[in-house]
Amino acid sequence: MDTNHVVVIGGGYAGVMAANRLSSRQDVRITVINPRPVFVPRLRLHQLVGGTHDAIVDYRDVLAEGVSLVVDSVTGIDAGARRVALADGADLDFDYLVYAVGSGTPEPQVPGAAEFAYPVATLEAAQRLRSVLFDRAMSAPVTVVGGGPTGIETATELAEQGRSVTLVCGGTLGPYLHPRARRTARRYLTKLGVGLLEGPESVVTEVTKTSVRLATGTALPSEITVWAAGFGIPRLAAHSGLRTDTVGRLLTDETLTSVDDDRIVAAGDSSAPSDLPFRMSAYVAGCLGAHAADTIAHRIDGTEPTSIDLAFQAMCISFGRRAGIFQLGHKDDTAMGLYFTGPAGRALKEFSCAASVKHLVTEANKPGSHSWPKDGKHRPQVLRDRRAAITTA
């Protein structure tokens, strides 16, 4: 029996799920390449900053038996030669490649942000911020920039500990939340003593060592500025000559196959199916990782891969260790008017965080078991409407 070498670039939710799903096949050998020797449950990074979780899981606990782990970084992909180059100078050949490099800290375009603000999107960044906070007085003013889940959770985690925190949204607080849930979020922030700045006047125009300047010209005192305004995508695919979208996600068709090479599939935050990427989340990453593995299995078997079909159910935000909002959503990833708050919301958030890792463990023990709710209507219709618009134009 011929053995196909599947190389997975990235050991996050998507990469681990893809590797585990293929692990039961006798005709496949799997290598996961990751720059660090531990799995990072990124949903816990704000807790690492606050000192309530270390945000680390041993790969032996989440990777299926028989999957090889190479601790290194990929510096280039040679699609024609089916080879990846590693930072240590070695090359690794593949028959199929899973591109699951994920996302990380964006390159801030705001003057001073790169020099004076502390990102929180990676393990190393969160650890550094934790260390900085440990060395500063509890009374030191902290400004968190970014009104999405990461910004909210980091701000509330620190405020609950008694720190003086201002959350600068740069726009809408919790853009995904239903308006009624957003009002609840504001109440939680107020209860924790978090200063909140929303709307266009909360756009940050400059970061200095001791302040954050807003579009209004106001300078907020800030001894520690946390940058939680979005995520950046590694440029590995573009640098390797593969087509990407404008932010660097690998362009694929609806089966998650690269538009340039049918031996390369993408999953997670770094994938852009039909140039219409899904919302970045651990939930989506796990589902796309599983589907990417299924696409490879179809290729090996000589059968036709299927299109990704994925519906959204909810998103959740913690407000410290005592409260949370669990926002239910429609299949098209828009918020319902139904949501859970308080201790129930916090419990559901904690369940979701634990489940994101548990799904990987379950897949490692029983490959092929991971499933997810389907949409079937919304995404195909969006794609049809877009094609019709292009044809008309």
Side-chain angles (χ1 to χ4, degrees), residues 42 103-107 119-121 145-151 227-233 280:
R42 288 179 56 179
S103 59
T105 302
E107 297 179 4
V120 70
V145 180
T150 301
W227 199 263
F231 295 91
I233 304 297
M280 293 180 179

Side-chain angles (χ1 to χ4, degrees), residues 25-249:
R25 293 188 64 111
Q26 300 301 307
D27 57 353
V28 166
R29 176 170 61 92
I30 307 163
T31 301
V32 173
I33 307 171
N34 196 64
R36 59 182 69 86
V38 291
F39 175 79
V40 179
R42 288 179 56 179
L43 297 177
R44 303 284 193 184
L45 287 178
H46 65 284
Q47 288 186 255
L48 190 161
V49 171
T52 60
H53 202 286
D54 60 8
I56 288 175
V57 176
D58 195 308
Y59 269 119
R60 289 174 295 184
D61 294 332
V62 294
L63 267 182
E65 186 177 350
V67 175
S68 298
L69 175 66
V70 173
V71 181
D72 206 338
S73 297
V74 175
T75 59
I77 302 169
D78 187 334
R82 295 183 194 166
R83 182 178 301 125
V84 297
L86 304 181
D88 70 358
D91 290 334
L92 201 59
D93 294 332
F94 65 85
D95 295 294
Y96 293 91
L97 183 72
V98 179
Y99 188 80
V101 298
S103 59
T105 302
E107 297 179 4
Q109 302 302 308
V110 174
E115 294 84 359
F116 302 113
Y118 296 92
V120 70
T122 65
L123 175 65
E124 293 77 14
Q127 289 173 332
R128 180 183 177 219
L129 175 57
R130 174 62 184 161
S131 178
V132 169
L133 287 162
F134 184 81
D135 291 335
R136 301 290 179 88
M138 291 294 291
S139 59
V142 178
T143 303
V144 179
V145 180
T150 301
I152 294 171
E153 292 182 332
T154 303
T156 54
E157 198 79 23
L158 296 177
E160 191 175 65
Q161 296 178 356
R163 290 193 175 273
S164 175
V165 182
T166 300
L167 178 61
V168 180
C169 295
T172 304
L173 173 71
Y176 180 86
L177 293 173
H178 188 274
R180 291 198 298 272
R182 190 172 297 117
R183 288 196 290 271
T184 301
R186 293 190 185 105
R187 288 199 297 271
Y188 285 150
L189 291 167
T190 299
K191 186 176 180 180
L192 288 168
V194 176
L196 176 62
L197 298 176
E198 296 183 81
E201 294 183 350
S202 67
V203 173
V204 174
T205 57
E206 184 183 13
V207 178
T208 73
K209 189 175 182 179
T210 58
S211 68
V212 170
R213 188 172 296 277
L214 305 180
T216 58
T218 303
L220 303 175
S222 182
E223 289 191 30
I224 305 168
T225 301
V226 181
W227 199 263
F231 295 91
I233 304 297
R235 295 287 178 170
L236 175 62
H239 291 163
S240 300
L242 298 169
R243 278 180 283 179
T244 67
D245 68 2
T246 55
V247 299
R249 302 179 186 93

Side-chain angles (χ1 to χ4, degrees), residues 3-7 77-83 94-99 242 250 256-266 292 295-296 299-300:
T3 300
N4 293 276
H5 187 202
V6 177
V7 170
I77 302 169
D78 187 334
R82 295 183 194 166
R83 182 178 301 125
F94 65 85
D95 295 294
Y96 293 91
L97 183 72
V98 179
Y99 188 80
L242 298 169
L250 184 67
L256 305 185
T257 303
S258 165
V259 296
D260 296 309
D261 193 306
D262 63 9
R263 295 290 185 121
I264 299 176
V265 299
T295 292
I296 289 176
R299 301 273 185 214
I300 293 172

